[in-house]
Amino acid sequence: MKSLDVTRTALGNTLRSKMRTFLTVIAIVIGAFTLAVTSGLAAGVNQTIEDMVEGYGGQDELYVMTADTMGQGEDTGPGPQEYDPDEAASQSEFGQSMLSDDDIETIEGLDHVTQVDPIFFVSPDYLETPDGEQYMLNDLGTPADAQAMELVAGETPEREAMEITVPESWLAVFDESTDDAEQADPQTAIGETIEVGISDMAYEQHTVEAEIVGVSAPNLAGIGGDPMPSHAVNDELYEIQSSGLDVDQPDTYVQAAATIEDFSANEDSVKEALQEEGLVGMSVEDLMGMVQTVIDAIAWVLYGFAFIALLAASFGIVNTLLMSVQERTREIGLMKALGMSSGRVFGLFSMEAVMIGLLGSIIGVGGGVLTGVVANALLTGSGGPLGEIGGLSLYAVSPTAILSITALIMAIAFLAGTLPAARAAKKDPIEALRHE
Amino acid sequence: MKVYGKGASRFDALKGLTFEIAHGESVAIVGKSGSGKSTLMHLLALLDQPTSGVVALEGDPITDLKPKQISALRNDTFGFIFQQFFLNPNQTVLENVTLPLKIAGVSKSERNRRGMEVLEQLEMDSKAKNKATDLSGGQKQRVCIARALINKPSALFADEPTGNLDSNTSEIVEDILFGLHRDHGITLVVVTHDEDLAARCQRRLIMQDGEIVREEHGVQSTDQGVTA
C-alpha cells in the first residue's frame, strides 16, 4: 500500500464515525487552542517589548540605583540594622535608599561615563496655554527617558534649551478647529510657548516658560503619556520645588541615568565598577528583560495546562482507536488475508491517530489564531479598552510556533495511536475473519 | 500437521496429510464441520503455518519466507472468496474490488481501470458506484469473485462460496468459477459441503477428523447434468 493511499484511507476511516471522531477531536482542540493563544500572546507581548527596546535606538544609558533598592546590598535583610546618620538621610519617605550627591560624583568619576543625570520627580501644579487657559498638570516625564519617547511630530527637547513636548491627548487644547484630540493637527501645537506653574516649599507659585517642540504618543512603558520637559526645564522646576524654606536639605535621588560612551563595549565594565561602589546599573534591555522573564514564566504555566489537556486528549485517542480496532477486526483480517503486511496495518491505524491529531490541531490552532487576532484588534485597536497604550500588541502570529504546535500534537497523537495500532497489527487474519 | 492448544486442551486439527495440487487443477475439500477442511485451506492459502510439516509452493517451502514475503505472495498469486463475502459496507463496489491492488500499491487510476475491467467481466460494472450493502447475495459474491480476480491470481481459494446463496444463484456463481478455471487455467481450491459443487471439481479430498479419508478423481455428472 502506498503512503498516499494509507493517508487517504486513514482520513476516510476517521471520518467514518463522525460523532466519535468529533468528540475525540474536541479534547485535542482545547489543548491546541490553549497552546496557540498562549504562544501568540507571549510572542505578541514580547515583540512589543522588543519593538520598544529597539525604539530606544542608540540607547547609551544605564539607570543607576543603590544596590539596596534591588535587594543586593550588604546591609539589607530582616532584623534591626545599625543606625548610620548618613545612611538614614538618604532614605526616601518610602524607606527606599536613595542616591546622594556623593554617589552621583562617584558615578561621574567612573571610566567611560560621560554624563550623569540624577532623576528627580517634579510635581507641577498647572500648565498654561498661550491664550491663558490653565490645565491640571500633576506629572511630568523624566527627561532621561526622552530618547525612548515615540514622537508623532516635531523632535525631542534639547538638553539645555527651555523646551517641552506634549502628548497627543493634549492636542485639542492647541488646535482650535476641533475638540477631538484624535482629529487635531499636531503641527498647531509645535512652536507654541506654554507656562508651567509650580509651588515651592512655602506654597508660593512660580512659573517656568517652555516652547513646545514635539508631540508624543504614549508607549507601553507610559513614556510620552505626560508632557516631557528638557533637562533645563526640569532642573529649573526642581530648583523652585525645593526652594522657599531657609533649610539646607541634602539632595537625594531615586535613580540616576548615566550616559556611557561606546555603550555596547563598555556596558559590562561600568556595571562591574558600579557594583563595587554598592550601586546597580541596569540598561533598558535589562529592565525589559525582567518583564519578559515574567511573561515567559506565565506563558510556561499556561503551556503546562495545555499540555495536560493534550495528555488527557491522548487517552481519548487511545480509547477511540481501541474501539475502532475492535469493531473493524474483520476488516483488518481481510486486509491481512489479502496480503497487507502487519507493518502497513500498524501504519494505517497510527495514521488514523495522526489524522485525529491533525484535525484537532487545525481546528484548535486555527481557532486560537483567529481568536487572538480578533481579540487583539478589539482590545488594542482604536477605541478598544487598551487602545490608549501605543504600540501594544497582545497577539502575534508566529508561523514557527503554529507549525511546532501542530507537529507536537501530531507526535502526541501518533504515540497515543501506537497501542491500538500494535493491537491491530498483531491480529491473526484467520481469527479476525472468524470473528463474529 | 496442525495442532491447536497445548497439553490437555491439545487438539490436532490436521494429522499427517501429504498431497499435491497441480497447476490448473480444480480441487474440492469436502467434509463435515470440524473435519479440518477450513484449516487445511488456510494452510494451503498461506494464511496459517503448520505446527509441523512443510507447505511448499512451486517446490519452495514457504516456512523459509519472512511474513512480509508471504503477505506479498498471497497478494500477488492468490485470490480469496469467502462465504460471508467480507465486503466493506462503507465503500463502493469498485473500492471493494480494488482493495488487493491498493494493498499492492497500484496507483488509483490503474486500480480503477482494472477494477472496471474485471467488473465488466462479471457483468457488475453497472453497480460499480453502489455501496456494497445495496447488493443481493449473488451480486455480493460476484463482487467478491471480482476482488479475487483483480490481481490475475494463479490460484483461487473459495471457502463455501455458495454457502449463503440460494440454489439458482449458487449455480450462476459455480458457472463463473468453473468458467474461470476452464478458460484462464486458474487453479481452483474449494472448501464446501455442497455436493453439487464438489462434484464439478476434478478432484475431491474427503476429510474426516483431520485426515483425508478418501480421494475421488474425475468430474462427476450431477443431477443437473452439468459437465466441466
Side-chain angles (χ1 to χ4, degrees):
Chain A
M1 207 172 193
K2 279 189 190 160
S3 305
L4 180 66
D5 281 322
V6 171
T7 317
R8 205 184 282 156
T9 311
L11 185 63
N13 288 341
T14 46
L15 296 178
R16 209 190 282 174
S17 46
K18 291 194 178 61
M19 189 63 169
R20 196 159 68 190
T21 305
F22 175 69
L23 290 172
T24 315
V25 162
I26 280 184
I28 300 165
V29 166
I30 293 169
F33 181 86
T34 316
L35 278 180
V37 169
T38 309
S39 72
L41 194 65
V45 176
N46 280 335
Q47 202 184 332
T48 308
I49 292 169
E50 268 161 35
D51 287 350
M52 274 171 57
V53 173
E54 229 164 73
Y56 282 37
Q59 68 122 343
D60 52 2
E61 287 180 344
L62 279 182
Y63 289 87
V64 183
M65 287 149 276
T66 59
D68 296 2
T69 317
M70 300 303 291
Q72 292 175 11
E74 289 163 15
D75 301 328
T76 52
Q81 312 279 326
E82 232 171 278
Y83 178 72
D84 175 352
D86 287 346
E87 191 76 8
S90 67
Q91 294 243 324
S92 76
E93 52 260 60
F94 304 113
Q96 198 178 18
S97 50
M98 310 275 276
L99 296 170
S100 64
D101 281 331
D102 284 351
D103 289 328
I104 301 294
E105 270 172 44
T106 314
I107 303 169
E108 273 172 347
L110 295 176
D111 287 345
H112 309 302
V113 175
T114 55
Q115 173 104 39
V116 180
D117 294 307
I119 295 174
F120 34 75
F121 296 103
V122 175
S123 303
D125 300 328
Y126 64 86
L127 185 150
E128 190 177 317
T129 60
D131 22 315
E133 298 276 347
Q134 294 185 338
Y135 296 93
M136 283 279 281
L137 183 63
N138 291 323
D139 294 303
L140 281 179
T142 313
D145 295 335
Q147 321 180 14
M149 192 167 55
E150 227 175 274
L151 286 171
V152 179
E155 49 203 25
T156 46
E158 288 285 334
R159 174 176 279 273
E160 303 301 339
M162 298 301 278
E163 291 175 345
I164 195 166
T165 63
V166 289
E168 274 182 304
S169 50
W170 283 64
L171 284 177
V173 170
F174 300 97
D175 191 342
E176 279 146 14
S177 64
T178 176
D179 285 337
D180 186 352
E182 281 182 33
Q183 306 279 322
D185 176 10
Q187 297 299 337
T188 57
I190 291 173
E192 299 279 355
T193 304
I194 49 110
E195 284 182 359
V196 177
I198 188 160
S199 305
D200 63 18
M201 293 172 89
Y203 297 104
E204 198 175 315
Q205 282 193 327
H206 303 263
T207 57
V208 174
E209 279 197 357
E211 190 195 343
I212 297 175
V213 292
V215 177
S216 63
N219 70 10
L220 194 56
I223 298 170
D226 292 307
M228 171 73 75
S230 66
H231 282 278
V233 172
N234 202 50
D235 288 352
E236 194 167 331
L237 287 170
Y238 183 70
E239 204 61 42
I240 296 169
Q241 181 176 263
S242 49
S243 67
L245 289 183
D246 201 10
V247 206
D248 193 19
Q249 198 195 17
D251 284 330
T252 56
Y253 319 99
V254 177
Q255 285 184 336
T259 312
I260 313 236
E261 57 179 5
D262 196 0
F263 186 81
S264 51
N266 297 322
E267 182 189 358
D268 289 335
S269 66
V270 173
K271 277 184 185 172
E272 268 170 40
L274 286 168
Q275 192 88 42
E276 278 168 26
E277 302 292 341
L279 300 167
V280 171
M282 296 188 94
S283 67
V284 175
E285 252 179 309
D286 294 339
L287 292 169
M288 292 305 180
M290 283 160 65
V291 179
Q292 274 176 317
T293 312
V294 173
I295 289 165
D296 285 344
I298 295 170
W300 278 108
V301 171
L302 291 174
Y303 286 146
F305 285 131
F307 190 75
I308 291 171
L310 286 178
L311 203 66
S314 68
F315 285 97
I317 295 180
V318 175
N319 197 17
T320 302
L321 282 180
L322 277 179
M323 271 171 17
S324 181
V325 167
Q326 189 62 25
E327 274 171 24
R328 283 152 61 194
T329 299
R330 265 198 182 178
E331 192 187 322
I332 297 163
L334 178 71
M335 288 192 293
K336 293 192 85 172
L338 295 184
M340 188 138 151
S341 67
S342 296
R344 281 294 177 183
V345 173
F346 180 88
L348 181 60
F349 277 85
S350 41
M351 185 53 90
E352 283 184 28
V354 172
M355 282 295 154
I356 291 176
L358 184 65
L359 227 55
S361 49
I362 288 174
I363 298 172
V365 172
V369 169
L370 200 69
T371 309
V373 169
V374 170
N376 187 37
L378 288 179
L379 286 171
T380 64
S382 61
L386 302 173
E388 297 301 306
I389 307 169
L392 174 68
S393 154
L394 283 179
Y395 196 88
V397 181
S398 148
T400 337
I402 289 173
L403 287 180
S404 26
I405 291 169
T406 311
L408 172 78
I409 290 172
M410 281 166 72
I412 290 176
F414 172 79
L415 283 179
T418 50
L419 174 71
R423 197 170 271 198
K426 253 194 282 178
K427 284 204 185 289
D428 178 1
I430 301 166
E431 290 297 321
L433 286 174
R434 272 196 206 121
H435 180 86
E436 291 303 319
Chain B
M1 188 162 84
K2 178 72 189 175
V3 179
Y4 289 113
K6 279 179 193 155
S9 65
R10 181 186 156 107
F11 169 65
D12 294 3
L14 294 176
K15 298 170 238 182
L17 307 183
T18 307
F19 66 96
E20 254 179 55
I21 296 172
H23 264 288
E25 206 180 357
S26 62
V27 178
I29 303 170
V30 192
K32 294 196 177 116
S33 19
S35 59
K37 58 185 193 303
S38 286
T39 308
L40 178 58
M41 194 200 78
H42 292 150
L43 287 179
L44 293 176
L46 309 186
L47 285 168
D48 208 348
Q49 302 262 10
T51 314
S52 63
V54 174
V55 177
L57 182 73
E58 316 256 346
D60 299 323
I62 61 117
T63 25
D64 296 348
L65 297 178
K66 294 194 185 93
K68 213 172 175 173
Q69 290 172 302
I70 295 175
S71 291
L73 203 60
R74 271 206 307 274
N75 182 267
D76 198 41
T77 46
F78 295 161
F80 291 94
I81 299 161
F82 306 96
Q83 180 180 4
Q84 294 98 332
F85 316 129
F86 295 136
L87 295 174
N88 192 332
N90 307 291
Q91 294 180 333
T92 64
V93 165
L94 186 62
E95 283 169 326
N96 267 294
V97 167
T98 53
L99 179 62
L101 293 184
K102 189 173 172 183
I103 290 169
V106 176
S107 75
K108 189 164 185 178
S109 54
E110 171 73 2
R111 286 206 302 262
N112 288 348
R113 192 185 61 74
R114 281 169 66 180
M116 288 311 293
E117 221 173 76
V118 75
L119 280 173
E120 261 168 54
Q121 191 185 341
L122 292 161
E123 292 162 16
M124 285 293 292
D125 46 322
S126 58
K127 303 278 186 192
K129 299 279 175 237
N130 288 36
K131 291 274 178 204
T133 35
D134 300 341
L135 303 177
S136 71
Q139 286 172 326
K140 279 183 186 167
Q141 199 56 297
R142 270 197 271 173
V143 172
C144 286
I145 296 171
R147 181 175 65 194
L149 286 178
I150 195 156
N151 54 359
K152 301 195 164 62
S154 53
L156 267 186
F157 291 91
D159 190 355
E160 303 279 11
T162 56
N164 271 348
L165 305 176
D166 62 52
S167 54
N168 276 342
T169 334
S170 295
E171 207 181 313
I172 296 167
V173 168
E174 283 171 30
D175 286 345
I176 295 170
L177 287 179
F178 286 100
L180 288 167
H181 166 64
R182 187 182 56 229
D183 301 337
H184 299 274
I186 294 176
T187 314
L188 197 58
V189 179
V190 188
V191 168
T192 185
H193 48 240
D194 178 344
E195 285 178 10
D196 293 347
L197 176 58
R200 292 177 70 171
C201 293
Q202 291 163 344
R203 186 148 66 110
R204 281 164 296 286
L205 305 171
I206 291 103
M207 294 200 58
Q208 203 176 335
D209 299 329
E211 285 171 303
I212 298 175
V213 291
R214 195 150 46 87
E215 202 175 323
E216 294 174 0
H217 289 269
V219 177
Q220 297 179 341
S221 291
T222 60
D223 294 345
Q224 283 91 3
V226 181
T227 48

